[in-house]
Amino acid sequence: MRDGGDRAVAGLPVTGLPVPMPSVRHDERRPLSPAATLIGPARALEAVLAPGPGPGRPPGLPRPAPGTRRAMKWQQVQEGPSAVYVVVLDQGEDAVAELTAFARERSLGASQVTAVGAFSQAVVGWFDRQAKDYRHIPVREQCEVLSLIGDIAVADDGPTPHLHAVLGLSDGSTRGGHLLSGRVWPTLEVVVRDSPAELAKIHRPDIGLALIDPG
């Protein structure tokens, strides 16, 4: 993928997507170039990986301007109503927490997520029907993100990603399941394809999960 100039972004070739990017505003005084939406550095995370959503934007607050996050690099590569974003996570960032925060900042309501990259460690889950909760499967070694797919829908606390991952280990074996946590190393390259619709997640006490209700 390339920005409005001829600079490669995150080493990701993207074809068939509009390249021209509109200027975005950081404040009311001057516009930022598209390249300025790629920012860092990464925020340090806690030493122990923990499942669960990351911080979000409280309901009712105005949407922040594109590119104002300090801990994430991202660029919009296709304009709405079916917007497409490329999000590149840095070393040490937690994939679930950062994508949750991004979804809430951009007010995403019905999106598809795909990604490749690697984690230094991760936790995936297997849903136990009897316990109505996930059994944690820790992966305590460097692993390749062979596949990461999911969606984003609106739960009671705001837009929430639902992610599944297959992780490749050093001996060629794999671990997979619901992605509860993943510490990025050295990168995670994520494509988020949004839509103008909004999908709601409804909690199902009989199952123990919030599931998409297509209405």
Side-chain angles (χ1 to χ4, degrees), residues 97-189:
E98 294 299 321
L99 291 176
T100 299
F102 180 77
R104 294 178 182 183
E105 287 183 358
R106 302 302 301 158
S107 297
L108 304 181
S111 304
Q112 178 187 15
V113 180
T114 57
V116 293
F119 296 143
S120 62
Q121 56 181 305
V123 178
V124 295
W126 176 82
F127 191 74
D128 187 327
R129 294 175 58 179
Q130 300 300 319
K132 295 183 180 180
D133 200 359
Y134 287 102
R135 292 187 187 178
H136 292 190
I137 305 170
V139 179
R140 297 187 177 92
E141 63 177 86
Q142 180 71 23
C143 53
E144 295 289 326
V145 178
L146 305 178
S147 174
L148 192 156
I149 60 174
D151 56 47
I152 296 170
V154 181
D156 291 341
D157 54 351
T160 302
H162 179 189
L163 305 173
H164 286 189
V166 177
L167 307 177
L169 308 185
S170 58
D171 61 358
S173 64
T174 60
R175 294 288 186 276
H178 180 92
L179 185 63
L180 296 168
S181 183
R183 181 178 294 171
V184 174
W185 196 96
T187 190
L188 188 72
E189 301 160 346

